[in-house]
Amino acid sequence: TMADYLAGERSEQERADAERFGPKSEVVQLKQPNGKPFVGFRSVGKNWATVFAIVPSDEHGPLIPLVGEWKHGSESLSLCMPSGVPTKAELAGDDPMGACAKREFEEETGMRLASITPLSPNGIPLSGRQSSTRYFPYLGHVAMPIQPGPSKLDDTEYLALVLMPVEDWFELMSRGKVYEDCAASCTLLAGLNLGLLRAS
């Protein structure tokens, strides 16, 4: 348990990581739409931002910047768009999720965004029954000319940038090889925004 983990000899950094990433739960007392009282239990996590962007390429056609990262929750290697949680300074600003989206994209890809378009301004619940956490999808517009710099990763991050052709990414999705909910829904919303997909 978390209590057992923290009871051991932990460094200041390990305790900070536990506070930042450790699961938390809460009991909520609400009224249902019909007016009846309801007591529920849910996990509480940090909201985060995810950025879908397209990089032009003469050789391979349009490319999507993705991040390959080992995720300990699912114990699997996953591909997703650059994502992350806001810093304390960003949370104090006027647009914490937008600022987070721009910073995380630059840190994980080495590329700068000229602008972003929110694809769901109120965020998307990850598990409406069990969690209060939301993710905020963005369409990123990469600054031109593209001049990639080095990635700037946290000590706890172990990931690699993957530039994948748009068609290959859609193929992976159709074969059920995209394991992150936010990657699939962010792709769908961005694809509709860009006219890559059509709503019918």
Side-chain angles (χ1 to χ4, degrees), residues 12-199:
E12 186 176 327
Q13 183 60 53
E14 287 173 328
R15 292 183 180 278
D17 288 344
E19 173 64 25
R20 183 178 177 194
F21 298 111
K24 299 171 181 63
S25 59
E26 67 181 5
V27 179
V28 291
Q29 298 185 16
L30 306 170
K31 282 189 178 180
Q32 299 183 69
N34 60 10
K36 290 183 179 180
F38 173 80
V39 177
F41 310 91
R42 65 188 181 193
S43 61
V44 180
K46 294 180 182 288
N47 295 334
W48 79 81
T50 296
V51 181
F52 180 103
I54 290 182
V55 177
S57 167
D58 294 334
E59 184 177 355
H60 301 287
L63 302 173
I64 302 175
L66 301 167
V67 172
E69 183 176 12
W70 174 260
K71 299 293 180 72
H72 66 276
S74 60
E75 297 184 34
S76 65
L77 182 66
S78 71
L79 282 174
C80 189
M81 291 88 206
S83 304
V85 299
T87 63
K88 287 183 179 179
E90 289 165 347
L91 287 171
D94 294 334
D95 183 15
M97 302 313 296
C100 170
K102 289 180 179 179
R103 175 185 52 78
E104 286 288 344
F105 186 88
E106 182 172 348
E107 288 180 353
E108 295 185 1
T109 69
M111 291 178 275
R112 191 173 60 83
L113 292 175
S115 63
I116 54 174
T117 301
L119 298 172
S120 181
N122 295 320
I124 298 175
L126 293 182
S127 177
R129 176 177 290 277
Q130 300 168 325
S131 174
S132 64
T133 306
R134 293 172 179 261
Y135 101 90
F136 290 75
Y138 289 87
L139 173 60
H141 310 281
V142 180
M144 304 297 283
I146 297 173
Q147 298 175 325
S151 298
K152 302 172 186 174
L153 306 178
D154 295 335
D155 292 339
T156 57
E157 289 181 308
Y158 183 77
L159 52 84
L161 173 65
V162 177
L163 293 171
M164 181 175 290
V166 172
E167 291 185 4
D168 291 355
W169 178 243
F170 286 166
E171 175 66 17
L172 280 181
M173 289 185 60
S174 69
R175 290 168 48 201
K177 300 296 184 182
V178 176
Y179 305 124
E180 299 275 348
D181 287 349
C182 64
S185 56
C186 192
T187 299
L188 172 63
L189 293 169
L192 290 170
N193 185 285
L194 292 170
L196 301 173
L197 304 169
R198 291 183 301 177

